[in-house]
Amino acid sequence: MKNLNKYMNLFIGLSLLFALGCTDLDEEIFDELSVEEYGKTDKEINSLIGPIWSDLRQYPDYYSTLEVSSDMSVTPTRKGGDWWDGGAYKEMRLHTWTPSNSRTRRVYRDLSSRISRCNQILFMVENSEGIEDKEPVIAQIRAARAFWYYVFVDNYGNVPLVTDFTDVSLPSTTPRKEVYEWVLSELNDIKDVIRDDVSSSSYGKFTKGAVYSILAKMYLNAMVWNPDGGPKWQECIDACDEVLNLPYSLVTNWKDNFIVKNEGSPEAILSVVYSLTSPWGIVRASLHYLDKIALELNMNASNGISAQPSYVKSFDPDDKRIGWSFLIGPMIDPATGNTIITAHNRPLIHTIDITMVYAFDAEGWGQTEQEDGVRCFKWEIPKGLSARGVESDVFIFRLADIYLMKAEAIVRSGGDNLEATALVNAIRERAFDDPAKLYTSVTLNDIYMERRFEFAWELMGRQDQIRFGTFLDPIPDWKPYVSNDRCLLFPIPTDVLDANSNLDQNPGY
Amino acid sequence: MKKNEEFFFRRLTLNKILRKMKVTIILLLIGIMSSYAELYSRDAPISIDMQNGNLSDLFQIIEHNSEYKVYYKTSLIDETQTVNLTTDEMPVSEILALALADQNLTFDLSDKVIIITSAKEKANQPQTVTGTVTDGSTGEPLPGVTVQVKGILTGAITQVDGTYSVVISPDADTLIFSFVGYATEEIPINGRLVIDVVMEEEVTALEEVVVIGYGTQQRREISGSVTNVTPRSFNPGVTRTAIDLLQGRVAGLIITQASGDVTIQQSVRLRGQTSLTGSSEPFVVIDGIPGMDLNAIAPQDIKSISVLKDASAAAIYGSRSGSGVILITTKSGISNQSTIDYNGYVAFDVVMNKPDVLTAAEWRKYTADNGINTEGLDLGADTDWFGEIMRTGITHNHDLSYTGGGTNNSYRASVSYQQREGVVKDNYQERLNTRLTFTQKALNDRLNVTLTGSMNMRKYQPTETRNFVLSYNMIPVAPVKFDDGTWFDSLEYDQGNPVRNIEYNKRLNKNNIYYVNLKADLNIFRGLNAGINVLREGKTTDNALYNHSETEQGRNDQGFAQRTSSNSDRRLLETTINYVNTFNVHKVTVLGGYSYEDNYSKNFRAQNRLFVTDLLGYDDLASGENLLTGDVTSGGSMYKLISFFGRINYSLLERYIITATVRRDGSSKFGKNNKWGTFPSASVAWRLSDEPFMRYLNFLSELKLRVGYGVAGNQDGISPYNSMELYGSSGVYYDEGDWHTAYVVSQNANPDLKWEQTAMFNIGLDYSIMQGRLNGTFEYYDKRTSDLLYNYSVPVPPYLYSSMLANVGIMQNKGIEILINGDIIRNPNMRWNVSVNLAHNKNEILSLSSEEFTTTSIKTGNAWVRGGSYNTTHIVEEGKQVGQFYGWSCTGLDADGLYIMDDMVDGEPGLTDDDRTYIGKAQPKLTYGITNSFTYKNFELSFFLRGVYGGDVLNYSKMSYATTQWLPGANVLYDALTIGLEENPKYNSFYLDKGSYLRMQNLSIAYNLNTNVLGFNSFRFYFTGQNLLTITKYKGVDPEISMSGLDPGVEGRNYYPKSRTYTFGVNVSF
């Protein structure tokens, strides 16, 4: 019996011990890091700032909104319905997009996230005790945030201006004018603080060159984005000159800007750095399923975005940038020497014309043959490529753009046409073998067209068209009418308005 | 006779208890049940002390001390013969038997009347009949069974090994075998001297001991909604996990087999969907161990399964029981008895229904009729691509168990092995479950210790569903292989050779679960027990994948290999104190407990591509030449759960029963502002049939009204650290020529994050009439789940991400469940039992918004067809059910083959997204199951029908492939030629079909061999057919499709068709 009592006591004792002793619910964290504990050393802090540069990879992916709404490219619906996608691309082409359009929604939501992240990183750096010289770091972050707001001002105009990460109240819409002025003041604040080196160390980061490039864009588009503020042509020229004074130079061989190892290009001002792990997808989206046979690739392509026929036809046939930018003509199977045959039993020939056949709807939209349309061929696609895109970096700003912006500002402000002509010819001479193709003097239209030839697929189309007043114009064979002028700004997506009732829709939607 | 039966009833109750004591682990029951037995018997024994009296005196004494009247012819009684009789508390029937034994008299006892008659002369010598009694479901011998000669009270009781020996008079014609908890068998003797009997458990018996959370209760004492299923009612045939045993058997428990893939588990919903984010799967408890995986137990080891349906029953499991609880009890050893059981079967699986794509002849006819040039496409073959990837699947199953034990201990060891092939060639599963349970009593039987070890291994290859997509698209005129043996392949969109994929690509998944469990139960003093339950469990998975460089799946990467592994360690400690006492008519049970649980997981993945050779597959990742950033990953996580719980049961006169429980759960997963939650419940039951005013309703054996209310939780939707602000790695950034890892805040932190809370009201009525020949249950419930977890939209900025896991919405499920169970024929040679269960559930979302979060609707589900991205199928909206189809309403096709759509929904002509409307509901109105079982002599036949009424199904493959526009380069459904669609396929109501079906889930025929001849305890052959017949108007492959998530009711184009299964098996016990 004594024994039994002992057991009983032990039993009850144990039970009580566990019952009373262990109520601790603390977690151990393994593969993530506590916000309180991480971010003490330089290396750790760099890893937290790094996203502001890697986030730039999102920007070129806006092509399906920024490119496809311009008259330089189109994503037609292919026979069988590929790329119909609820009419998202048709709306981009016909300028009939609504606040629920998936393409404009994607850009808005991405821009919002980029800005929130900049605010969070800025807050983290400002409160960090581990950083000795915060000023250049903060300048990087503010430049990134100003860049994203620059894209916002351009595409959406009236957006919430949020700069304080700790303020969790629901923001209201800030008028385009105020956002515009804020971006200018931010850029002017940091232009003398930010690093000014043009080196492998500053590659892919925000530098003085990048900040002045954004400034030049802001000034060049001032009459569109903030007409009340009046023209800023001289400011634009000055900003361009600041960039021109930096050690950038035009590459002799134009194609060097688009090769796999293009990070050495002296023309690059603000670069999006890609790798095989995170490649750029436009080529993959554009090529036909069977182009891989002709190009000897392993990559699966999806037969999407093509060049708008009227745009391709506007090129001078001698302009080498046609061949450098577009994949045109019959696709040959290297094994047989014959033209490849598609599943619809048609030869795989990328024609410039994109013909709408089958099932026309009331708005004239239909399906096109699978192989119609010339494809994006600007960035190098090495044989055997198996990644989800190409590895070449994409330059958001490159020196050629500065040349043409300055030329445009000079012409618009009635400046020295000779200087403008020289700037344009510097770009143009790389594309022609025949010096006779160079200009002796340039008109605004010459500059507009030169921009279009130079920057195929480089997401300049929409902004340039709006500035030159051609964005709403009819598009031959595709859009017979002048678009509603609400299209100059994209709508605020429906679900964004649902989540924040303080926001206002853009006019006309 | 009534009183006599009750008398036996009482004694047998005790016998049953004695058996249970040997069999089961719960000492506690002795106290409870013996006191029950006393209360239950109405045949109050009387004490007699009579010296030198006669029979008339005795009859007077009996009349005086009982309710009986004694009738007899005075001529029969010899008044001079003296009777000396001393009894202490002996029932009347026994007293009479003693007193009349040597006076050539006998008696009949009826309700309150005793008739004395003359015993017949015995012309011949009595004979002895022997035999063995076994349990029909387990095949185990049944000790303690009363064997009685019909009309005579004397009899015998079976021994430990189930054998009996009874002396009968020559005029005896029938033996009665009775045992509490089993159906009484009346067997004609027909001159036989050896009679073996198989007895079946009587499910409706009130004494049935039902496992509830942290304990057991007798059926009659239960006040919550608990359904108990025993092996007799399990589904026969091929079973993968315990849940297969229950499909269709429990009203309100919807078990859906959403795929024919033999490696995929069924989805389970109890009383509707209760979560927007979590799994809504019921919580599984095996032998008192909470949170177990269904793969951790072989179906053969299961003794019973209890389903806790309402919150008053489930709330004892707190924050994890909001979707109901399934309690599985396993078989254990029996003291002083040893048995070996073997169950083996072979099964054949044949595909039930395949997609009807164009055959080569149909393809050629179409192209010829339409003048399409097919040169280069038509390679002269005639290939049935679906047929090429399918086969007849063969399954082997072997279950072996051994039980034994001494006086103070018992053990059971079992091995279950199953090798199963799916009907698709790459699909198989091999599982091995082993288990050893050892129970030892000590300290004068006051301490009971059980140690269980279990090892469960699974090796399997899930089907690559991509091959179904390829089989739809590949044209039938292309060959699998050319004449020279080389493979045909296609680089077109969604095309490639699926046979080559299956033959060259390999996936090998391994999943092991090991655990050891120690339970100890100590009786401290009468009525008070302390228990401890300790578990250590390890789980590992190791998945390997290789996509061959020449196949459709591997050609992009030029060979792709991947290995993924994970392991987790769980520790559990639970302590309980239990007190039971009975004071006169009051019975009280009190339970208190504490539980601690933690779980640590680690995972690892590596992959590589571009291999020089395909020979090494996934076994040499290092030889790949294209290792990218992010190809090697690892991670870890942990969580803790700490709980306190208690329960009080009170019963008065066994008529009025009250149960109250409470659990307090703390979880490390919850946000820091909501670490602890409390989950209370209460229920009452009133056994009307025991009320004096109901006694006159003789046909009524049981009538019980139950009402309960409880609050349970669900934390399934929360992963560890979901509530916190943390930095997680996020790709790389470029810095001075090198790539470095970037860290970002990985989610919107929500310090208020907590469980979903389900409050449930339940009212039920249990009935049993005509000695249980007809019995069943009616139930109504209303449950409301609030604080629904979902990734709700939040504005960016100020938030970092556009969605945030938060507790916002409210959802309701209301329903009715009906169970009717009846013995239509119940006689010695033949039995016919019919059981019908019906359930109706109505799901409605009441709210999706709170002060902080506003959500008007969630459009969800992917209506992707070629060229149809960014299209949704379903809407989650206030006032609608989960599974509400939302899209354009289409009334058919016009003469031009264009959809006739309702474009005026938004009030304006022109079809826009605003014209989408509510076009169907995935959730059925009614689910039902009908079981028929017949027993005729040694034959058994049972069949089980299961059905669903109401509910729409989206025929996704019809939407994708009933169009001619892919011809001739890609194949389409035959429907494409008949429906005449001339535009891009679009998601709309045209593709919604009624999903009602009635399915013959299984049909089983068994024969029990006369075992005495062969020396086995039992020997049984059986055949089972599963999925034999489906009656439905649905035109797709199968109307039984996935009902989980927010977009249920879709038969996707990667749907794995189900099979018919034919099983031939044998059960042997010796």
Side-chain angles (χ1 to χ4, degrees), chain B residues 744-796:
Chain B
V744 298
V745 173
S746 52
Q747 62 196 352
N748 291 328
N750 181 357
D752 295 326
L753 201 64
K754 60 176 184 176
W755 57 95
E756 294 173 313
Q757 181 163 307
T758 296
M760 186 169 187
F761 170 77
N762 189 86
I763 181 161
L765 185 73
D766 299 330
Y767 63 93
S768 172
I769 55 180
M770 298 188 289
Q771 283 87 51
R773 275 187 83 153
L774 185 65
N775 61 70
T777 301
F778 294 101
E779 287 203 80
Y780 167 82
Y781 60 86
D782 182 346
K783 67 172 168 176
R784 195 170 285 226
T785 308
S786 52
D787 295 327
L788 286 176
L789 287 165
Y790 187 74
N791 279 302
Y792 294 92
S793 289
V794 290
V796 181

Side-chain angles (χ1 to χ4, degrees), chain B residues 319-330:
Chain B
S319 64
R320 295 178 292 178
S321 58
S323 304
V325 180
I326 292 178
L327 301 174
I328 295 173
T329 308
T330 63

Side-chain angles (χ1 to χ4, degrees), chain A residues 32-35 38 48 120 124, chain B residues 726-729 743-745:
Chain A
E32 293 193 294
L33 301 158
S34 154
V35 170
Y38 185 74
L48 294 171
Q120 177 260 317
M124 185 273 300
Chain B
L726 294 170
Y727 289 127
S729 66
Y743 281 89
V744 298
V745 173

Side-chain angles (χ1 to χ4, degrees), chain A residues 281-332:
Chain A
I282 194 170
V283 173
R284 184 176 195 265
S286 184
L287 294 181
H288 183 271
Y289 316 118
L290 301 185
D291 284 341
K292 64 192 275 187
I293 300 174
L295 303 176
E296 296 175 58
L297 311 175
N298 293 311
M299 175 176 71
N300 287 328
S302 20
N303 198 28
I305 185 169
S306 301
Q308 186 76 43
S310 51
Y311 166 57
V312 182
K313 288 174 184 170
S314 70
F315 276 73
D316 184 320
D318 293 337
D319 192 332
K320 289 187 283 186
R321 287 173 296 195
I322 304 180
W324 291 341
S325 303
F326 308 116
L327 184 66
I328 309 178
M331 294 294 112
I332 308 297

Side-chain angles (χ1 to χ4, degrees), chain B residues 505-522:
Chain B
N505 297 338
K506 293 279 167 281
R507 296 164 141 209
L508 176 64
N509 294 0
K510 285 182 175 180
N511 167 221
N512 298 329
I513 303 173
Y514 310 97
Y515 68 89
V516 60
N517 174 226
L518 177 76
K519 283 194 187 72
D521 190 82
L522 178 71

Side-chain angles (χ1 to χ4, degrees), chain B residues 89-122:
Chain B
E89 294 284 293
M90 186 185 268
V92 173
S93 47
E94 270 183 43
I95 295 168
L96 284 172
L98 268 174
L100 301 179
D102 51 358
Q103 300 212 12
N104 271 344
L105 294 174
T106 185
F107 65 94
D108 281 313
L109 257 165
S110 65
D111 198 20
K112 298 181 183 171
V113 174
I114 297 168
I115 297 168
I116 308 294
T117 49
S118 166
K120 283 174 188 160
E121 286 290 316
K122 292 171 177 65

Side-chain angles (χ1 to χ4, degrees), chain B residues 597-611:
Chain B
E597 181 177 339
D598 64 24
N599 189 81
Y600 287 78
S601 304
K602 297 278 181 231
N603 61 70
F604 172 76
R605 186 194 77 185
Q607 58 191 27
N608 205 344
R609 359 178 137 58
L610 195 63
F611 289 87

Side-chain angles (χ1 to χ4, degrees), chain A residues 4 8 18 22 27-28 31-33 35 47 80-82 84-85 103 109 116 205 277 298 343 345 367 386, chain B residues 373 446 492 524 556 594 600 629 635-636 668 721 725 727 735 743 746 799 802 866-867 869-870 966 969 984:
Chain A
L4 191 60
M8 265 188 276
F18 287 120
C22 202
E27 287 144 309
E28 290 170 60
D31 55 18
E32 293 193 294
L33 301 158
V35 170
S47 75
D82 289 354
W84 164 252
D85 297 339
R103 307 292 74 207
R109 291 169 60 102
S116 258
K205 300 194 174 74
T277 315
N298 293 311
N345 223 16
Q367 300 183 357
S386 65
Chain B
N373 173 18
R446 295 180 72 171
E492 273 291 345
I524 297 166
N556 188 8
Y594 163 81
Y600 287 78
T629 308
S668 62
Y721 324 122
E725 185 169 61
Y727 289 127
D735 187 17
Y743 281 89
S746 52
Y799 290 100
S802 61
R866 223 177 139 166
S869 304
Y870 320 115
W966 301 113
N984 276 345

